């Protein structure tokens, strides 16, 4: 998985600074390729899916939820995007909560501004089309490339630029990055299932097993 770099602003002291989440495994989770999956229990003050900039796709009222913190330039997020799209197609009860988490550099911040503008101006379906289109391409996605993708989906480039450069979007981006940092999400992608944060991509089989366990037992491992 990709290690997240904190961007220009500094968040409040995080779980990562208090006890390294990369070495913690509260549950014996092992990925599809035999990799150990760092994980830890989290406490949320409120529902993530109600925060500005966060988008819910799949079955909005489904009984199974995956929350994903991702960066548009994370190669492991690209692999996860393909697999999770297939999971959504197979599972009518699955809801995916997408949290933009632009922590991998300046290009990601620029693309994140466009992405958050798309989230505000478009429907969840349009946002997900943008999300999938970003990951269907190779190379770095910066602000200009993200804008080109959005324009190809029918968005007005001038409106996106104006909104993306606004104080509102800056504040939203800071809040989402601060949230991820506070929750100890030091890798991209990171997933939350129930009250457990999983750092790195487990692979499609293990991620499905985690979701199934949470639905059946209320825990990520039955």
């Amino acid at each position: 998985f990709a290690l997240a770099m904190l961007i220009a602003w500094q968040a409040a002291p995080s779980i990562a600074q208090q006890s390294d989440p990369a070495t913690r495994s509260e549950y014996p989770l092992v990925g599809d390729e035999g990799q150990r999956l760092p994980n830890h229990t989290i406490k949320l003050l409120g529902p993530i899916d109600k925060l500005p900039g966060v988008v819910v796709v799949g079955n909005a009222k489904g009984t199974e939820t995956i929350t994903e913190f991702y960066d548009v330039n994370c190669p492991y997020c690209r692999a996860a995007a393909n697999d999770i799209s297939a999971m959504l197609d197979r599972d009518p009860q699955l809801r995916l909560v997408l949290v933009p988490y632009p922590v991998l550099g300046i290009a990601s911040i620029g693309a994140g501004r466009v992405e958050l503008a798309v989230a505000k101006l478009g429907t969840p379906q349009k946002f997900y089309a943008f999300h999938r289109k970003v990951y269907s391409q190779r190379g770095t996605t910066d602000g200009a490339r993200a804008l080109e993708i959005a324009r190809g989906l029918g968005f007005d480039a001038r409106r996106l630029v104006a909104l993306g450069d606004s104080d509102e979007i800056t504040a939203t981006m800071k809040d989402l990055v601060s949230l991820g940092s506070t929750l100890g999400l030091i890798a991209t992608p990171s997933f939350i299932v129930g009250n457990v944060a999983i750092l790195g991509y487990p692979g499609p089989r293990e991620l499905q097993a985690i979701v199934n366990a949470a639905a059946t037992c209320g825990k990520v491992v039955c």
Side-chain angles (χ1 to χ4, degrees):
F1 51 84
L3 291 180
M5 300 184 301
L6 289 182
I7 55 181
W9 50 78
Q10 291 295 316
S14 68
I15 292 173
Q17 295 167 307
Q18 298 165 21
S19 57
D20 185 3
T23 64
R24 297 169 61 192
S25 293
E26 294 184 24
Y27 294 90
L29 300 178
V30 178
D32 289 356
E33 298 182 4
Q35 76 273 29
R36 182 181 64 85
L37 295 172
N39 63 86
H40 57 268
T41 301
I42 60 171
K43 292 183 179 180
L44 296 172
L45 298 179
I48 292 177
D49 60 357
K50 303 300 183 185
L51 296 176
V54 175
V55 177
V56 179
V57 297
N59 184 348
K61 297 182 179 180
T63 57
E64 305 162 6
T65 300
I66 300 171
T67 299
E68 180 185 4
F69 283 69
Y70 65 90
D71 185 293
V72 295
N73 287 306
C74 161
Y76 300 94
C77 301
R78 176 180 289 113
N82 290 328
D83 294 336
I84 293 173
S85 178
M87 289 174 65
L88 289 171
D89 290 340
R90 290 192 305 267
D91 188 347
Q93 287 302 318
L94 185 59
R95 62 197 296 267
L96 173 62
V97 180
L98 292 167
V99 186
Y101 193 41
V103 293
L104 296 180
I106 298 301
S108 294
I109 296 172
R113 289 187 176 278
V114 176
E115 182 178 35
L116 290 170
V118 167
K120 187 170 181 64
L121 295 177
T123 63
Q125 293 74 25
K126 278 269 196 174
F127 180 87
Y128 195 48
F130 172 86
H131 179 84
R132 297 289 290 119
K133 187 69 173 176
V134 166
Y135 286 129
S136 71
Q137 303 189 42
R138 293 289 184 252
T140 300
T141 298
D142 57 11
R145 194 172 193 187
L147 193 63
E148 181 182 352
I149 292 170
R151 187 164 43 207
L153 293 171
F155 286 91
D156 184 292
R158 286 178 296 180
R159 291 186 69 194
L160 289 176
V161 169
L163 180 58
D165 285 341
S166 68
D167 291 342
E168 176 187 4
I169 291 300
T170 298
T172 296
M173 187 181 295
K174 286 183 177 181
D175 287 345
L176 294 179
V177 170
S178 179
L179 173 63
S181 176
T182 300
L183 294 175
L185 308 184
I186 63 168
T188 56
S190 284
F191 299 91
I192 296 173
V193 178
N195 66 340
V196 175
I198 301 151
L199 310 187
Y201 181 41
R205 294 189 300 279
E206 179 62 14
L207 184 59
Q208 185 68 68
I210 290 168
V211 171
N212 291 345
T216 302
C217 311
K219 301 183 294 183
V220 294
V221 176
C222 287

